[in-house]
Amino acid sequence: MLPVNILLARQHRRQRLRNFNIERIYLRNTYDPFNLDNLEFQRRFRTKDICSQFIDDLMPHMSNSPKINIIDPRTRILVALSFYATGSYQRLIGESHNISISQQSVSNCIRDISSLITEHLADRYVKFPTTNEERNVIKLAFHQKYNFPGVIGAVDCTHIRILHPVEEEHNFVNRKGYHSMNVQVICDSNLRILAVNPKHAGSTHDAYIWRTSAIREEVEIQYRLGNRSCWLLGDSGYPLQPWLMTPIVNALPNTPEGRYTQAHCSARNCTERCFGVLKQRFRCLSGDRTLRYKPEVVGQIISSCATLHNICILHNLNVDLIDEVNDQLQVVRPPDVVPNDLHQEGDRVRERIIRRYFH
């Protein structure tokens, strides 16, 4: 049997934790984060209007409980939004005076809300164009901004730093030597995300992610059905295909090929600006943060941030202090690829674009 002093110490500790939890529940239930001024609310959660709509969208998919100590759905959503926006440590988020929950509860909230967003809201706000009307709107915007015809999106990948996973750890080490997820994003000229693929480890090559993606299958099907005036833009790390235009390596300035490549690179750089805005808006994805979750959960967090990014664009929410992306000509030299029929067909399409628009 334990000594009396140890038993009394344990009893005192349990009572102290019980009183602390009661006080925390009282603080959480009597404080409304929406009473914060707009600037402070935006720093913690982003704008009130967007948060209110987002809560209304997600609440029907959340189960509630009659237990007195359960965390109410709105607080759970705000916890996740605070993490997305700041990328702060879970304990610091939980100890915030307007949240007041434990570190473990913060972790559970982030996982649960990310899963709900991915399952119920992502497809509503992150949509690849499937109709001629949708494609024409995107093509017109690209043509007006960059004088490049037929573009329905630009594709590129970005790395999101993660904690080294337990399983297949070596697959997540990218070319820069740290653990990451390699995330493929397709966006339009307004930086709206049209598709996001957050399922691949950091060592996976961009071209492989593209080759196995559902979007590649979609644009190829449309091409085979006779839609020959739509294509995506990718850098030279991607294969040239009739539905995916790449720049011309070593194209001379003031030539048709040079003008094509310059316009191509300027239009494709919208993906770099999209990455900058996304990571500035949701600091949990920025390069100086590390997502300490399993890769599957990291993928849901990334998908959730992409969904919220599009909601912000829908409401014309600007992000200040975004570093300007260098729009100068940047061409990545691709690995040697043996030409095939698809590459040759893509080359003919690219030559036709150059002759028609850049001579």
Side-chain angles (χ1 to χ4, degrees), residues 25-200:
I25 293 171
Y26 174 78
L27 288 173
R28 186 170 68 239
N29 293 339
T30 57
Y31 189 86
D32 185 1
F34 282 87
N35 290 331
L36 293 169
D37 64 75
N38 291 332
L39 186 60
E40 184 63 21
F41 190 94
Q42 182 170 345
R43 188 180 70 84
R44 294 172 181 265
F45 308 103
R46 300 307 180 241
T47 64
K48 292 183 180 180
D49 291 341
I50 293 177
C51 284
S52 295
Q53 178 184 333
F54 181 70
I55 290 171
D56 291 340
D57 288 344
L58 202 57
M59 285 279 276
H61 306 290
M62 302 179 68
S63 60
N64 209 338
S65 172
K67 293 182 180 179
I68 189 172
N69 62 341
I70 200 70
I71 302 172
D72 69 278
R74 192 179 72 161
T75 299
R76 291 163 61 194
I77 294 172
L78 289 172
V79 167
L81 291 178
S82 179
F83 173 77
Y84 300 149
T86 65
S88 183
Y89 289 107
Q90 295 174 359
R91 186 176 299 278
L92 294 179
I93 293 175
E95 291 177 351
S96 173
H97 68 283
N98 55 356
I99 291 179
S100 300
I101 63 176
S102 68
Q103 178 271 325
Q104 184 60 51
S105 295
V106 172
S107 180
N108 292 337
C109 288
I110 294 170
R111 272 196 288 263
D112 293 345
I113 297 303
S114 298
S115 177
L116 287 172
I117 295 173
T118 302
E119 181 178 356
H120 298 289
L121 296 185
D123 290 341
R124 186 193 308 180
Y125 291 102
V126 181
K127 297 186 296 185
F128 192 75
T130 56
T131 66
N132 287 331
E133 292 76 13
E134 293 172 339
R135 288 189 284 263
N136 288 337
V137 170
I138 298 174
K139 287 194 288 186
L140 179 61
F142 267 106
H143 196 264
Q144 290 176 339
K145 290 183 179 181
Y146 305 107
N147 197 31
F148 202 108
V151 181
I152 58 171
V155 58
D156 204 354
C157 289
T158 186
H159 287 270
I160 304 299
R161 189 184 295 267
I162 65 171
L163 191 68
H164 62 85
V166 176
E167 299 179 2
E168 300 184 355
E169 176 268 342
H170 61 283
N171 288 332
F172 292 86
V173 180
N174 62 27
R175 65 182 183 276
K176 295 184 178 180
Y178 63 86
H179 297 85
S180 69
M181 303 290 290
N182 194 9
V183 182
Q184 178 184 273
V185 169
I186 300 174
C187 72
D188 64 14
S189 61
N190 296 319
L191 312 187
R192 180 169 60 97
I193 295 176
L194 306 175
V196 59
N197 185 350
K199 300 179 181 179
H200 290 274

Side-chain angles (χ1 to χ4, degrees), residues 12-26:
H12 176 72
R13 181 176 178 273
R14 285 195 296 268
Q15 185 61 43
R16 181 171 55 85
L17 289 175
R18 188 178 299 111
N19 293 337
F20 176 74
N21 287 333
I22 293 173
E23 180 182 359
R24 187 159 55 189
I25 293 171
Y26 174 78

Side-chain angles (χ1 to χ4, degrees), residues 246-266:
T246 60
I248 298 175
V249 178
N250 298 327
L252 297 176
N254 298 321
T255 64
E257 291 78 11
R259 289 191 289 271
Y260 160 87
T261 300
Q262 182 66 61
H264 179 288
C265 291
S266 295

